[in-house]
Amino acid sequence: MLNAKFKALAMMAAAIVGTLALAGCGTGGQNDDTLVVALRAEPSSLDPQAARDIPSSSVMTQIFSTLVRLDEDMAIKPYLATSWERLDDYTYEFNLREDVSFHNGELLTAQDAAFSIIRATQSPATSPIMGPIDPDGVIAIDDHTLRITTLQPFSPLLFHLTQNAAAIVPKAAVEAAGDQFGQHPIGTGPFVFESWDAGDQVELSRNDGYFMETAHFKNLTMRFITEANTRFISLETGEVQIAVDLPPTVLNRVAEDPDLTLVREPDLRINYLGMNVNQPPFDQLGVRQAVNYAIDTQLLIDTVLEGVGGFTDSPLAPAIFGADTSLSGYGYDPDRARELLALAGFNGGFDTTFYIDSDPLRISLATAIANQLGQVGINVELVTLEWATFLEQTSQGNHGLFILGWTNSTGDADATAFALFHSSSHGALGNRTFFNNPRADELIILGRETADEGGRLEIYRELQQIVIDEAIWVPLFTGENLVGIQNNFQGFRANPTNLHRYNEVFSE
């Protein structure tokens, strides 16, 4: 399902980071030092069936393994499962590795895998990711054979099983730890959990029994540095060796520093201005269309983002299977925006709330957007909240406007469509616009059930057109991975899902 556009982007990205991967076999042994990576936020939990945010998943990717995984070219590869077969439209069977132990020494079995998948279907945080998996149909046939049955045909199942929500956990350890498992996680991944210093960092150590490439570093420290410029300064001074989510404002400084390398690659994020359709006056289509016409997204990319990110009219990032880049949105037309507002009964404009989190880049974007909206008579009150509070408030529908980003973690349209546009996902599950469209719901389910790729593309094309026509979003820009690395650290490859693996990183 890897589309041609992403293949081209991946080839360009490979050229950028070729020198990073070059000496992969040139280091004769493992380095016993500690690799320090700076993240943009602290995890909420390290239990894969309890959290799905990027900061949590960034750490969990190091600790846990899934049945299958996505490589950096968005191809599905074996992981804990060595092979699999689709027995019919509803049933997959997986053959598991026989040589894998959890970090506590217990052997992994299909019983652990079945427990983990069932647990994911029952958790409020991860059940949407599991789609129509039938918990009664997840069965360990023997110690190394797992069968998964779905309630309806579910074409993107393999893609969904690559997510941390489907990570395999040890049944006995989870049952013993209960709700505390996320504070003391045990997996089968390349690194072992050691400690979590709240507000500061997570400490991991090398899993010498890892069933794939053993990490080059004995220790991995993942620090939480929320302020982007501080994250860059920590990289610049050598306090950290890798810093993710760098701000556009430091790109020139990275380029001019002979000790640093910038990895800049397309990812699967889309950033958008959302409207709460349950909150007047955004319950009126004409008002939502006016907001779309009022925003000059290319100007935002060129100025606030300093050219980082791509223009799009679609609600799906271009590299995702199902995205249609030929669709057209509204364009920048403030006169048309004023006309539509007048037709909707707001000739003098109106006041509304605009919720954002405390990320400096989001604040800059919101300030620029507020200025553009003000020019057509829409006066906004910017409400800046800490991340957790922002998520809570927008999930409850207390907002008018909001800015968010969405990272598709599978490369398949379903991971975006169901969470953000299906009526069953209102609020905390992802649909913070509270969009409710019966035809959209029907298409989203059809997209899951249809096996033919051409048929799925047509389904998602119609869905994207509905989202554009209903004007619930202003697509602001598609994302880019901006990762800074100290030059003497090699082997890093950025993953388009923003969930990077660090066991292949080594120092010269």
Side-chain angles (χ1 to χ4, degrees):
M1 291 187 179
L2 181 64
N3 65 34
K5 183 172 182 67
F6 189 81
K7 288 179 180 177
L9 290 169
M11 289 175 66
M12 291 182 358
I16 295 172
V17 297
T19 56
L20 292 175
L22 205 57
C25 57
T27 63
Q30 292 176 322
N31 191 311
D32 287 336
D33 292 338
T34 297
L35 175 67
V36 184
V37 176
L39 305 180
R40 69 185 298 267
E42 182 169 11
S44 57
S45 172
L46 296 180
D47 181 341
Q49 279 91 51
R52 53 190 293 199
D53 57 283
I54 290 293
S56 299
S57 295
S58 295
V59 180
M60 289 191 289
T61 296
Q62 319 311 319
I63 299 171
F64 295 97
S65 312
T66 47
L67 295 173
V68 291
R69 73 175 189 174
L70 287 173
D71 67 10
E72 285 72 20
D73 298 321
M74 301 307 295
I76 291 178
K77 298 292 185 182
Y79 203 14
L80 288 174
T82 57
S83 61
W84 52 88
E85 180 182 2
R86 189 171 190 177
L87 303 181
D88 55 44
D89 286 348
Y90 298 83
T91 311
Y92 277 84
E93 197 163 277
F94 298 85
N95 299 309
L96 307 188
R97 294 177 181 269
E98 299 183 11
D99 57 347
V100 177
S101 294
F102 288 103
H103 297 154
N104 62 0
E106 296 177 3
L107 283 174
L108 176 141
T109 69
Q111 287 77 19
D112 296 299
F115 170 81
S116 303
I117 301 301
I118 292 169
R119 186 170 183 254
T121 67
Q122 296 172 341
S123 164
T126 57
S127 58
I129 293 174
M130 295 296 99
I133 290 177
D134 180 5
D136 294 329
V138 182
I139 302 169
I141 304 301
D142 56 40
D143 279 352
H144 299 100
T145 308
L146 176 71
R147 183 172 295 167
I148 297 178
T149 302
T150 58
L151 296 168
Q152 296 92 34
F154 188 38
S155 292
L157 175 66
L158 291 178
F159 287 90
H160 282 246
L161 291 177
T162 66
Q163 299 180 84
N164 278 302
I168 307 306
V169 298
K171 180 176 185 292
V174 171
E175 290 177 337
D179 293 340
Q180 295 303 306
F181 181 73
Q183 299 298 314
H184 305 280
I186 299 170
T188 60
F191 290 96
V192 179
F193 174 81
E194 294 294 340
S195 65
W196 183 346
D197 185 1
D200 187 16
Q201 63 190 26
V202 165
E203 293 276 5
L204 309 175
S205 64
R206 182 173 62 218
N207 175 14
D208 289 321
Y210 184 48
F211 57 92
M212 295 186 70
E213 181 179 351
T214 306
H216 294 269
F217 283 89
K218 183 177 180 180
N219 302 299
L220 173 63
T221 297
M222 305 189 81
R223 295 195 55 203
F224 325 133
I225 305 177
T226 56
E227 210 286 309
N229 284 311
T230 304
R231 202 156 54 248
F232 168 71
I233 292 170
S234 298
L235 175 70
E236 194 176 37
T237 60
E239 184 180 347
V240 306
Q241 288 79 55
I242 299 176
V244 303
D245 291 312
L246 291 179
T249 52
V250 305
L251 296 190
N252 289 336
R253 291 170 65 185
V254 176
E256 293 168 359
D257 191 324
D259 296 324
L260 300 180
T261 295
L262 175 70
V263 177
R264 180 177 178 178
E265 302 185 20
D267 63 22
L268 303 182
R269 282 182 290 188
I270 188 162
N271 296 270
Y272 63 96
L273 174 71
M275 290 166 264
N276 181 356
V277 301
N278 286 342
Q279 185 86 267
F282 301 112
D283 55 344
Q284 297 186 49
L285 175 60
V287 171
R288 301 196 300 270
Q289 290 174 331
V291 172
N292 272 268
Y293 281 120
I295 306 301
D296 187 344
T297 56
Q298 188 61 60
L299 181 63
L300 296 175
I301 294 170
D302 293 341
T303 55
V304 179
L305 301 175
E306 300 190 25
V308 173
F311 175 86
T312 184
D313 280 324
S314 170
L316 294 176
I320 295 170
F321 174 84
D324 190 332
T325 57
S326 70
L327 298 175
S328 297
Y330 292 86
Y332 178 55
D333 191 342
D335 290 336
R336 179 59 175 155
R338 296 184 191 95
E339 180 183 345
L340 286 168
L341 289 174
L343 289 172
F346 297 99
N347 191 46
F350 62 89
D351 299 335
T352 189
T353 56
F354 187 171
Y355 280 41
I356 53 174
D357 69 271
S358 56
D359 179 82
L361 183 60
R362 292 254 173 91
I363 293 173
S364 297
L365 272 171
T367 302
I369 289 169
N371 180 61
Q372 292 184 356
L373 291 173
Q375 293 176 26
V376 301
I378 301 175
N379 304 305
V380 304
E381 176 193 357
L382 288 178
V383 181
T384 305
L385 304 168
E386 292 303 316
W387 179 242
T389 306
F390 168 81
L391 291 179
E392 179 184 0
Q393 290 293 310
T394 54
S395 69
Q396 293 174 359
N398 296 327
H399 57 289
L401 299 167
F402 66 102
I403 291 179
L404 258 180
W406 180 264
T407 299
N408 182 301
S409 56
T410 69
D412 185 273
D414 179 71
T416 299
F418 194 89
L420 299 189
F421 307 127
H422 198 275
S423 60
S424 68
S425 299
H426 284 172
L429 295 180
N431 185 349
R432 287 177 162 81
T433 62
F434 296 88
F435 178 56
N436 187 352
N437 183 292
R439 178 57 179 166
D441 282 357
E442 181 182 358
L443 289 168
I444 290 166
I445 300 305
L446 281 173
R448 290 183 154 191
E449 296 181 349
T450 302
D452 173 64
E453 287 193 3
R456 295 188 78 218
L457 289 174
E458 286 301 314
I459 288 166
Y460 290 123
R461 186 183 194 282
E462 183 181 348
L463 175 64
Q464 289 163 87
Q465 190 64 62
I466 289 173
V467 173
I468 291 171
D469 291 345
E470 290 293 323
I472 60 173
W473 274 21
V474 180
L476 297 175
F477 60 96
T478 58
E480 291 187 47
N481 264 313
L482 298 178
V483 182
I485 304 176
Q486 290 280 332
N487 276 347
N488 57 326
F489 289 82
Q490 307 291 314
F492 174 83
R493 291 191 69 195
N495 193 292
T497 64
N498 294 300
L499 302 180
H500 315 303
R501 298 181 177 93
Y502 299 104
N503 55 304
E504 297 179 2
V505 177
F506 59 91
S507 63
E508 292 183 321

